[in-house]
Amino acid sequence: MSEVHITARALAALLGRWRTADAAYRSLADRIRLLILDGRIPADTRLPAERDLAERLDVSRTTVTAAYRELRDSDFLESIRGSGSIAQLPGVRPGPVPSSPLGYLDFSKAALPAAPQLADAAQRAALRLPHYLDAFDYDTVGLPELRSAIADRYIDAGLPTSPDEILITLGAQHAIGLIARTHLSRGDRAVIEHPTYPHAQDALRAAGARLVPVVVTAEDGWNTENLEQAIDQSSPTIAYLMPDFHNPTGATMSVEARRRVCRAAARQGTVLVIDETTAELDIDRGTPFVPFAASDDAGASILTVGSVGKTVWGGLRIGWIRADRGVIRKLVAARSVGDLGTPILEQLTVLELVPTMPDILRGRRHQLAATRDLVERVLADRLPHWEVPHVSGGLAIWAGLGAPVSSQLVLAARSQGLLIAAGPRFGIDGAFERFLRIPITYPLADTERALDALSVAWQSIMRAPVPDAALLAEVV
């Protein structure tokens, strides 16, 4: 029996404006399918009873029954006697046959292709591996050479760091989850940006945190006063922040704001979890990267998360945590509950890549700049009503649609062969239906195809009858 369930009230909030010109049951099924696909309804979650959802949505029970039946027929729901309807992901992505002859484009992730230096580095690492076969097996801390190399990069960036202040992890998500499990108890408050990196939000929720959202916008970034108030008034155990090229807005926090956040955290004893996985993906910011912790003049407790997943390749699952020695010891002691260490060969590969990071980052800068400029140019021409902020770095553009139709647009884009994440995937309780995250990490030809698909999908939903007539008025 599924231990995770979603109430009718919570599901209604996630559904938002789910009605389209299609039949009600099919519109409802499509929206629930999207929620399962993008993770807002995790697999193995028990959906509300048909009667409860019908009452909450003010529709007939027949409508909900038909929607659930369609989801079962497409393998998105499994009905278990005594457990109700359980969400699941089918083995193959379903959906209408895409109109593109080249198949689906998956823009649901903002991830760069592997850096060209990776293959040679992996070969050199394999040659070094025999020297480690006798001394290392289950490595819960990290190779000393790699921890030293990462510490040196922090020193070069202006933040004194010792190798024993570094813990090597299985990527950034593993690091965030480990921090959440060791620092949070059920019911503790955690400040989180809104919108935010969805997998960090999932990790904090899984640890039992009560989330305290603080708004971030592409245009203005953080309201520092609001962020300080959130820390002072809620006394959170943790505040998770991505201050450089924030995902998904692309905003970067000012130096003065960083200092004020550190002081507020020090006052309340809040642990700052700083995600710097995108911090070095500068396009044209014009200033060198300085680690957030270098701004601390108040003695705040800061745990910095880094990885090579965004800069080198997502398939290279190596990340790290920079923290005080005592915190590192606590994390290492707790780690064995979930895993027994980081693979040696992958650590050696990253060790080989560290000296080439300046060249890798220069190449990434050129890739991201070219794709960003293409997205800005095409959207300005084809979808001029959209609000497209100019980003100076990071992996995506947080585009404003002018109407709360993000989920509807994403469903329409699937019929054009494009998989892309709806704005609410990055929010809480269905927020951000007016936004869409557009990655700038894919090759130019694929990006052009994706923008073509978005343009066609937009025209299709704008031509369709909309129950709320005010919706179209907001767009035009």
Side-chain angles (χ1 to χ4, degrees):
M1 183 174 186
S2 176
E3 296 181 359
V4 180
H5 68 277
I6 184 170
T7 65
R9 179 179 180 182
L11 179 54
L14 288 176
L15 288 169
R17 297 190 183 196
W18 57 271
R19 289 182 180 271
T20 66
D22 218 336
Y25 80 91
R26 189 169 289 122
S27 298
L28 180 57
D30 283 344
R31 186 59 60 90
I32 294 175
R33 183 183 294 115
L34 175 62
L35 295 175
I36 296 171
L37 278 169
D38 69 14
R40 282 179 276 168
I41 297 178
D44 297 324
T45 298
R46 177 161 53 86
L47 268 58
E50 295 171 2
R51 179 183 291 109
D52 294 343
L53 185 59
E55 290 178 357
R56 173 60 62 174
L57 298 180
D58 194 22
V59 297
S60 70
R61 184 175 176 181
T62 303
T63 296
V64 178
T65 299
Y68 278 17
R69 183 188 308 114
E70 180 157 309
L71 291 166
R72 283 193 297 272
D73 290 344
S74 57
D75 292 331
F76 278 88
L77 282 187
E78 180 183 9
S79 294
I80 301 175
R81 185 177 297 278
S83 298
S85 298
I86 310 299
Q88 62 181 14
L89 284 168
V92 179
R93 288 183 183 269
V97 177
S99 59
S100 167
L102 301 180
Y104 280 109
L105 279 174
D106 188 352
F107 272 51
S108 62
K109 299 178 291 292
L112 287 159
Q117 295 87 344
L118 176 57
D120 287 344
Q123 292 177 348
R124 295 194 301 271
L127 295 176
R128 295 178 64 165
L129 182 61
H131 300 291
Y132 293 81
L133 295 180
D134 294 331
F136 290 88
D137 40 41
Y138 300 112
D139 180 15
T140 59
V141 182
L143 295 179
E145 304 96 314
L146 181 56
R147 287 185 285 129
S148 179
I150 292 171
D152 287 344
R153 295 199 76 232
Y154 279 114
I155 293 170
D156 292 343
L159 180 62
T161 302
S162 170
D164 55 7
E165 294 176 311
I166 301 293
L167 169 63
I168 306 300
T169 65
L170 297 164
Q173 183 62 25
H174 173 236
I176 296 167
L178 181 60
I179 291 169
R181 292 196 306 273
T182 53
H183 286 75
L184 289 168
S185 298
R186 186 158 299 279
D188 285 350
R189 292 182 177 87
V191 165
I192 193 166
E193 295 152 329
H194 200 220
T196 191
Y197 174 53
H199 297 300
Q201 180 185 154
D202 294 343
L204 296 177
R205 285 191 188 276
R210 289 186 290 168
L211 303 184
V212 180
V214 176
V215 172
V216 182
T217 67
E219 296 77 17
D220 302 318
W222 297 256
N223 183 312
T224 308
E225 184 176 346
N226 288 349
L227 183 50
E228 285 180 303
Q229 287 178 354
I231 295 173
D232 284 333
Q233 294 175 6
S234 66
S235 297
T237 303
I238 274 179
Y240 169 83
L241 304 172
M242 186 178 283
D244 287 277
F245 308 127
H246 169 261
N247 182 13
T249 68
T252 291
M253 188 181 291
S254 70
V255 173
E256 178 57 25
R258 296 171 195 234
R259 292 189 180 124
R260 289 171 61 179
V261 169
C262 288
R263 292 167 193 161
R267 285 194 302 270
Q268 299 299 325
T270 298
V271 175
L272 295 176
V273 180
I274 304 300
D275 185 337
E276 292 184 339
T277 54
T278 60
E280 295 184 280
L281 292 173
D282 175 26
I283 298 176
D284 47 22
R285 176 168 55 183
T287 57
F289 162 64
V290 177
F292 180 96
S295 302
D296 180 28
D297 58 5
S301 177
I302 300 176
L303 281 64
T304 302
V305 174
S307 86
V308 295
K310 302 299 186 186
T311 53
V312 177
W313 185 45
L316 190 58
R317 304 308 304 153
I318 296 292
W320 57 87
I321 300 169
R322 181 200 178 275
D324 291 342
R325 295 173 179 83
V327 174
I328 294 294
R329 287 194 294 270
K330 176 182 177 181
L331 292 168
V332 171
R335 179 174 183 174
S336 61
V337 174
D339 72 278
L340 295 176
T342 309
I344 303 301
L345 184 56
E346 293 198 15
Q347 291 189 70
L348 290 173
T349 301
V350 175
L351 184 60
E352 291 288 339
L353 286 165
V354 168
T356 69
M357 283 305 297
D359 290 335
I360 291 174
L361 292 172
R362 274 193 294 272
R364 297 315 200 187
R365 184 175 301 120
H366 294 311
Q367 286 177 276
L368 293 168
T371 311
R372 176 201 62 185
D373 294 346
L374 172 68
V375 171
E376 290 181 354
R377 184 171 62 253
V378 171
L379 291 182
D381 178 53
R382 299 188 188 178
L383 298 165
H385 298 296
W386 286 17
E387 297 174 1
V388 182
H390 179 79
V391 295
S392 57
L395 297 169
I397 290 174
W398 187 236
L401 306 179
V405 293
S406 183
S407 294
Q408 188 178 351
L409 175 62
V410 165
L411 287 171
R414 285 178 61 82
S415 67
Q416 300 302 317
L418 175 65
L419 308 178
I420 193 166
R425 180 67 181 105
F426 305 88
I428 298 172
D429 295 334
F432 302 113
E433 276 288 0
R434 291 176 174 272
F435 293 88
L436 184 71
R437 188 189 71 168
I438 303 175
I440 57 172
T441 55
Y442 293 88
L444 292 177
D446 286 348
T447 302
E448 286 195 84
R449 286 175 55 207
L451 296 174
D452 288 344
L454 277 179
S455 179
V456 173
W458 178 259
Q459 297 304 321
S460 72
I461 67 170
M462 288 297 99
R463 283 195 299 267
V466 180
D468 184 355
L471 194 64
L472 286 177
E474 290 182 89
V475 180
V476 298

